[in-house]
Amino acid sequence: MKPAPFQFIAPDTLEEALEALETYGSDAKLLAGGQSLIPAMNFRLTQPAVLIDLNRIASLSYITEDPDGLQIGAMTRQRAVERSARVAERLPLLHEAMPHIAHVQIRNRGTIGGSLAHADPAAELPVIALALDARLHIRSRTGRRTVAAADFFQFMFSTDLGPGEILEEIEFPALPERTGWAFEEFARRKGDYALAGVAAWIRLDDGNVIHSARLVYLNLGVGPVRAVEAETALAGQTPSPDVFRNAGVSAAAEVEPLGNVHATPEYQRHLAAVLTERALARAAARLNGNPA
Ligand code: FAD
């Protein structure tokens, strides 16, 4: 199908985009990479009267760094994030997750900001944002505000973004020293949305005991979900296969998969347990200098 008719505006600056958003209000939609919005328009699931194209706004596409971490402009292409040496070095968990997003052609157009604003519970980037405690900088005509990833994702396809607001930048803190990390997911075919996935990290104290841990899941709830009880239980433990297996069992009980045509909720819980154990084992192996 083709989309319903719409007016097309392509501003050159963020200020012009914000002005257009204010003028057209809920009749308007922002266009980033179009990899989620255009299919939805073609299916007539959404019929914006006005499309405000962000693609000419060069100032929204960048990757910069400081001692605390990286700042990524919302219009930075997913492929640019994937190929960035800075991301690979400073945010290896993000780097590891990127190739799991769709296919390379989609990542060539799709943007980091578009994926986060779209907030698909099956998407990789919201999970990474929550796992790394990213901070999202949001612009409107009245100023700039910052929201923690934990508060940004509110429900399926629903975020803290309000009318007249544009996601401008995502700030990722680098993981502290003595932290091992891994991303694991299971999809029926390469490039498909995964049936389940997890971003995990564990941080060790000086005695090689787990100081803290993070487990965040995709497609196992209405948004990116943490297994807080499993995380808490990991703290104070010495890394071992048994500890990681127990964490998987605990996480599988905590997540709330909805099931779909490809997987029952029971199967998704099974995946949560297996993927958690696998991710934690790889995170621990990295701490031992073995990244395989
Ligand atoms: P768009 O489609 O342009 O926009 C998406 C939404 O976000 C729209 O509502 C738009 O108004 C809003 N928006 C965009 N930018 C901003 C902004 N800066 N501020 C405020 N609102 C904004 N994704 C995955 O994560 N994993 C997958 O496995 C996966 N598989 C895919 C397979 C196929 C076949 C396709 C077509 C897509 C797939 N995707 C997948 C989606 C892809 O990652 C999209 O790129 C992403 O969801 C949206 O990014 P975009 O830049 O294309 O945004």
Side-chain angles (χ1 to χ4, degrees):
M1 264 173 79
K2 294 289 170 208
F6 57 87
Q7 187 188 339
F8 185 76
I9 299 175
D12 290 315
T13 65
L14 181 57
E15 288 65 32
E16 286 169 21
L18 288 165
E19 204 177 307
L21 203 50
E22 188 175 71
T23 305
Y24 295 103
S26 59
D27 287 340
K29 274 248 173 222
L30 298 168
L31 174 68
Q35 299 303 300
S36 295
L37 180 58
I38 299 298
M41 287 173 66
N42 285 345
F43 282 117
R44 307 230 171 167
L45 295 171
T46 180
Q47 301 189 15
V50 181
L51 220 47
I52 303 170
D53 184 3
L54 301 178
N55 284 276
R56 286 194 190 164
I57 307 176
S59 65
L60 286 177
S61 181
Y62 56 89
I63 300 175
T64 56
E65 68 181 323
D66 64 22
D68 296 329
L70 264 62
Q71 305 81 35
I72 305 183
M75 282 299 291
T76 308
R77 305 290 168 190
Q78 293 162 6
R79 185 71 169 154
V81 176
E82 178 184 349
R83 296 179 68 133
S84 160
R86 270 182 183 159
V87 170
E89 188 193 332
R90 306 279 313 276
L91 299 173
L93 181 59
L94 173 61
H95 176 75
E96 182 161 279
M98 291 311 296
H100 291 280
I101 301 173
H103 306 276
V104 70
Q105 293 84 351
I106 290 164
R107 298 196 296 277
N108 272 335
R109 290 300 303 168
T111 64
I112 185 167
S115 176
L116 295 171
H118 189 56
D120 188 326
E124 286 79 3
L125 283 165
V127 164
I128 300 299
L130 188 54
L132 294 179
D133 287 325
R135 289 153 53 81
L136 292 94
H137 299 290
I138 295 168
R139 276 284 295 273
S140 69
R141 289 268 279 165
T142 53
R144 195 184 204 225
R145 70 187 179 96
T146 300
V147 183
D151 299 320
F152 183 75
F153 303 104
Q154 298 191 332
F155 195 67
M156 271 181 191
F157 305 109
S158 172
T159 70
D160 183 54
L161 281 167
E165 290 190 323
I166 296 180
L167 178 58
E168 183 181 19
E169 180 184 288
I170 306 94
E171 190 185 339
F172 289 94
L175 285 172
E177 294 287 301
R178 296 182 61 75
T179 304
W181 46 269
F183 179 83
E184 288 280 344
E185 71 171 39
F186 182 78
R188 292 174 74 234
R189 293 175 307 190
K190 183 157 172 45
D192 281 4
Y193 279 102
L195 301 181
V198 60
W201 56 254
I202 49 173
R203 184 176 158 207
L204 300 187
D205 66 17
D206 291 341
N208 287 331
V209 167
I210 298 174
H211 168 276
S212 49
R214 181 67 58 92
L215 298 167
V216 190
Y217 296 85
L218 64 82
N219 220 357
L220 294 176
V222 294
V225 280
R226 278 177 69 179
V228 176
E229 285 174 28
E231 289 173 5
T232 308
L234 279 165
Q237 307 268 6
T238 302
S240 76
D242 280 349
V243 165
F244 297 155
R245 193 170 312 116
N246 290 340
V249 172
S250 168
E254 261 185 86
V255 294
E256 294 183 350
L258 304 176
N260 58 42
V261 288
H262 301 301
T264 62
E266 292 71 29
Y267 180 54
Q268 286 180 299
R269 279 189 201 281
H270 167 75
L271 288 174
V274 172
L275 295 173
T276 302
E277 191 180 340
R278 212 176 270 172
L280 288 171
R282 281 210 301 120
R286 279 202 162 99
L287 282 161
N288 293 327
N290 171 18

XYZ file of all heavy atoms in Angstrom, residues 87-100 124-125 127-133 172-173 175 179-184 198-202 214 216 279 282-283 286:
343
model
N 33.113 4.066 19.597
C 32.080 3.250 20.240
C 32.664 1.877 20.583
O 32.461 1.363 21.682
C 30.836 3.117 19.331
C 29.862 2.081 19.881
C 30.146 4.469 19.176
N 33.405 1.300 19.645
C 33.980 -0.035 19.889
C 34.896 -0.010 21.111
O 34.897 -0.941 21.920
C 34.751 -0.492 18.655
N 35.635 1.075 21.260
C 36.599 1.130 22.357
C 35.945 1.511 23.692
O 36.190 0.879 24.711
C 37.694 2.153 22.018
C 38.834 2.130 23.017
C 39.747 3.327 22.866
O 39.850 3.855 21.732
O 40.343 3.730 23.878
N 35.075 2.519 23.647
C 34.545 3.060 24.912
C 33.205 2.451 25.320
O 32.864 2.446 26.499
C 34.370 4.583 24.799
C 35.596 5.359 24.370
C 36.574 5.630 25.510
N 36.027 6.124 26.761
C 35.748 7.396 27.027
N 35.968 8.322 26.127
N 35.271 7.747 28.209
N 32.417 1.984 24.318
C 31.093 1.410 24.616
C 30.953 0.046 23.924
O 30.098 -0.157 23.066
C 29.979 2.349 24.119
C 29.923 3.751 24.711
C 28.884 4.592 23.993
C 29.597 3.691 26.204
N 31.813 -0.893 24.310
C 31.824 -2.169 23.577
C 30.497 -2.927 23.656
O 30.176 -3.687 22.745
C 32.964 -2.945 24.244
C 33.198 -2.279 25.556
C 32.831 -0.848 25.376
N 29.720 -2.722 24.712
C 28.418 -3.405 24.791
C 27.492 -2.897 23.682
O 26.798 -3.678 23.015
C 27.793 -3.165 26.178
C 26.445 -3.816 26.451
C 26.514 -5.330 26.307
C 25.950 -3.455 27.851
N 27.489 -1.587 23.466
C 26.700 -1.010 22.366
C 27.222 -1.539 21.028
O 26.443 -1.950 20.157
C 26.792 0.525 22.420
C 26.179 1.302 21.261
C 24.674 1.043 21.157
C 26.427 2.814 21.423
N 28.530 -1.553 20.884
C 29.149 -2.032 19.641
C 28.733 -3.482 19.350
O 28.422 -3.835 18.208
C 30.676 -1.923 19.780
C 31.436 -2.473 18.623
N 31.530 -1.813 17.420
C 32.133 -3.629 18.483
C 32.258 -2.538 16.588
N 32.626 -3.647 17.199
N 28.714 -4.297 20.399
C 28.379 -5.714 20.185
C 26.911 -5.897 19.770
O 26.580 -6.814 19.013
C 28.652 -6.513 21.466
C 28.361 -7.996 21.301
C 29.023 -8.866 22.360
O 30.223 -9.159 22.197
O 28.374 -9.245 23.342
N 26.046 -5.017 20.261
C 24.610 -5.173 19.957
C 24.249 -4.691 18.557
O 23.290 -5.197 17.949
C 23.785 -4.404 20.998
N 25.000 -3.722 18.026
C 24.575 -3.056 16.781
C 24.321 -4.002 15.601
O 23.297 -3.876 14.924
C 25.604 -1.987 16.361
C 25.683 -0.771 17.242
S 24.126 0.015 17.638
C 23.571 0.549 16.045
N 25.193 -4.978 15.312
C 24.946 -5.822 14.126
C 23.684 -6.678 14.247
O 23.238 -7.244 13.250
C 26.199 -6.713 14.069
C 27.196 -6.080 14.964
C 26.451 -5.302 15.979
N 23.135 -6.779 15.446
C 21.907 -7.572 15.620
C 20.666 -6.806 15.149
O 19.587 -7.389 15.051
C 21.732 -7.960 17.097
C 22.750 -8.938 17.577
N 22.675 -10.290 17.340
C 23.896 -8.753 18.280
C 23.703 -10.901 17.880
N 24.481 -9.995 18.449
N 16.897 -3.496 20.061
C 18.139 -3.638 20.814
C 18.544 -2.345 21.529
O 19.037 -2.369 22.657
C 19.294 -4.067 19.875
C 19.256 -5.507 19.423
C 18.272 -5.775 18.285
O 17.655 -4.808 17.795
O 18.106 -6.940 17.883
N 18.400 -1.203 20.842
C 18.981 0.035 21.391
C 18.352 0.483 22.719
O 19.080 0.931 23.612
C 18.929 1.151 20.334
C 20.017 0.985 19.264
C 19.733 1.871 18.045
C 21.392 1.312 19.837
N 17.347 -1.389 25.063
C 17.936 -2.280 26.065
C 19.354 -1.813 26.430
O 19.727 -1.760 27.604
C 17.932 -3.730 25.510
C 18.863 -4.625 26.297
C 16.508 -4.278 25.533
N 20.117 -1.451 25.413
C 21.480 -0.979 25.671
C 21.452 0.352 26.428
O 22.240 0.572 27.361
C 22.267 -0.825 24.341
C 22.359 -2.173 23.608
C 23.653 -0.251 24.591
C 23.076 -3.269 24.372
N 20.522 1.216 26.040
C 20.417 2.516 26.735
C 20.135 2.303 28.222
O 20.731 2.963 29.081
C 19.316 3.364 26.095
N 19.255 1.365 28.532
C 18.935 1.106 29.942
C 20.099 0.402 30.638
O 20.411 0.698 31.794
C 17.651 0.264 30.012
C 17.042 0.034 31.391
C 16.810 1.352 32.127
C 15.714 -0.720 31.261
N 20.740 -0.514 29.937
C 21.859 -1.252 30.550
C 23.011 -0.315 30.905
O 23.712 -0.531 31.892
C 22.342 -2.350 29.612
N 23.198 0.722 30.089
C 24.336 1.627 30.314
C 23.927 2.912 31.041
O 24.722 3.841 31.145
C 24.993 1.969 28.969
C 25.670 0.801 28.246
C 26.262 1.251 26.911
C 26.753 0.159 29.111
N 22.682 2.975 31.509
C 22.196 4.184 32.190
C 22.396 5.430 31.327
O 22.914 6.466 31.792
C 22.889 4.382 33.549
C 22.391 3.364 34.576
O 21.205 3.014 34.530
O 23.205 2.918 35.410
N 26.036 8.349 26.712
C 26.294 7.029 27.284
C 27.510 7.095 28.200
O 28.625 7.342 27.706
C 26.611 6.017 26.187
C 25.457 5.622 25.319
C 25.225 6.269 24.120
C 24.616 4.580 25.689
C 24.169 5.893 23.298
C 23.561 4.199 24.877
C 23.334 4.853 23.685
N 27.341 6.847 29.499
C 28.537 6.732 30.345
C 29.297 5.456 30.007
O 28.677 4.423 29.705
C 27.969 6.645 31.771
C 26.494 6.726 31.672
C 26.096 6.602 30.236
N 31.413 2.123 30.883
C 31.363 1.216 32.034
C 32.621 1.388 32.876
O 33.703 1.650 32.342
C 31.268 -0.235 31.551
C 29.899 -0.659 31.014
C 29.984 -2.044 30.377
C 28.847 -0.660 32.113
N 34.739 -4.328 34.794
C 33.376 -4.692 34.400
C 33.442 -5.567 33.153
O 34.076 -5.214 32.162
C 32.541 -3.418 34.104
O 32.581 -2.580 35.253
C 31.097 -3.783 33.800
N 32.772 -6.713 33.217
C 32.644 -7.595 32.052
C 31.230 -7.469 31.508
O 30.291 -7.231 32.262
N 31.071 -7.643 30.207
C 29.791 -7.349 29.581
C 29.546 -8.309 28.419
O 30.500 -8.893 27.876
C 29.803 -5.899 29.056
C 31.077 -5.638 28.312
C 32.237 -5.154 28.840
C 31.363 -5.973 26.949
N 33.222 -5.143 27.874
C 32.703 -5.641 26.707
C 30.601 -6.501 25.908
C 33.305 -5.827 25.469
C 31.196 -6.699 24.669
C 32.535 -6.353 24.477
N 28.291 -8.463 28.041
C 27.973 -9.261 26.847
C 26.540 -8.986 26.420
O 25.676 -8.657 27.253
C 28.141 -10.751 27.126
N 26.302 -9.107 25.125
C 24.948 -9.018 24.578
C 24.644 -10.333 23.882
O 25.468 -10.841 23.112
C 24.835 -7.857 23.571
C 23.465 -7.744 22.975
C 22.461 -7.084 23.658
C 23.164 -8.338 21.758
C 21.177 -7.011 23.136
C 21.893 -8.266 21.224
C 20.898 -7.596 21.919
N 23.479 -10.893 24.172
C 23.064 -12.157 23.554
C 21.614 -12.026 23.117
O 20.790 -11.453 23.856
C 23.134 -13.306 24.575
C 24.522 -13.747 24.948
C 25.155 -14.671 23.903
O 24.423 -15.210 23.047
O 26.383 -14.833 23.956
N 19.324 -10.251 25.771
C 19.750 -9.669 27.048
C 21.060 -8.907 26.877
O 21.955 -9.334 26.158
C 19.909 -10.763 28.146
C 20.936 -11.812 27.761
C 20.263 -10.152 29.502
N 21.129 -7.768 27.545
C 22.390 -7.044 27.723
C 22.779 -7.220 29.180
O 21.965 -6.949 30.076
C 22.214 -5.563 27.399
N 23.992 -7.699 29.405
C 24.414 -8.003 30.778
C 25.778 -7.405 31.074
O 26.633 -7.332 30.191
C 24.481 -9.525 30.974
N 25.942 -6.951 32.292
C 27.304 -6.665 32.760
C 27.432 -7.026 34.230
O 26.445 -7.015 34.967
C 27.761 -5.228 32.503
C 26.951 -4.077 33.027
C 26.152 -3.241 32.309
C 26.911 -3.583 34.390
N 25.599 -2.283 33.118
C 26.050 -2.464 34.404
C 27.503 -3.966 35.589
C 25.767 -1.737 35.573
C 27.233 -3.250 36.759
C 26.372 -2.142 36.721
N 28.655 -7.398 34.615
C 28.969 -7.612 36.031
C 30.244 -6.834 36.350
O 31.164 -6.765 35.548
C 29.173 -9.099 36.399
C 30.143 -9.800 35.435
C 27.864 -9.846 36.484
C 30.492 -11.221 35.860
N 23.978 -5.921 36.009
C 22.816 -5.383 35.297
C 22.370 -6.423 34.273
O 23.194 -6.985 33.543
C 23.212 -4.073 34.605
C 22.126 -3.358 33.829
C 21.014 -2.824 34.717
N 21.436 -1.893 35.746
C 21.469 -0.563 35.593
N 21.127 -0.016 34.455
N 21.858 0.200 36.591
N 19.302 -6.612 31.364
C 18.181 -5.925 30.702
C 17.767 -6.739 29.473
O 18.627 -7.167 28.695
C 18.559 -4.490 30.285
C 17.315 -3.732 29.827
C 19.221 -3.737 31.421
N 25.248 -15.024 28.584
C 25.798 -13.657 28.611
C 26.682 -13.457 29.832
O 27.769 -12.869 29.731
C 24.665 -12.631 28.598
N 29.996 -15.130 29.351
C 30.893 -14.372 28.462
C 31.409 -13.107 29.142
O 32.553 -12.690 28.932
C 30.180 -14.034 27.151
C 30.146 -15.235 26.196
C 30.143 -14.824 24.741
N 29.014 -13.999 24.407
C 29.100 -12.761 23.928
N 30.272 -12.193 23.732
N 28.017 -12.089 23.634
N 30.537 -12.487 29.942
C 30.974 -11.286 30.682
C 32.125 -11.652 31.606
O 33.134 -10.935 31.691
C 29.804 -10.701 31.469
N 35.336 -12.311 29.728
C 36.008 -11.050 29.318
C 36.856 -10.509 30.459
O 37.955 -9.992 30.240
C 34.961 -10.016 28.930
C 34.452 -10.228 27.526
C 33.846 -8.955 26.969
N 33.773 -9.063 25.537
C 32.663 -9.397 24.863
N 31.540 -9.614 25.492
N 32.699 -9.502 23.555
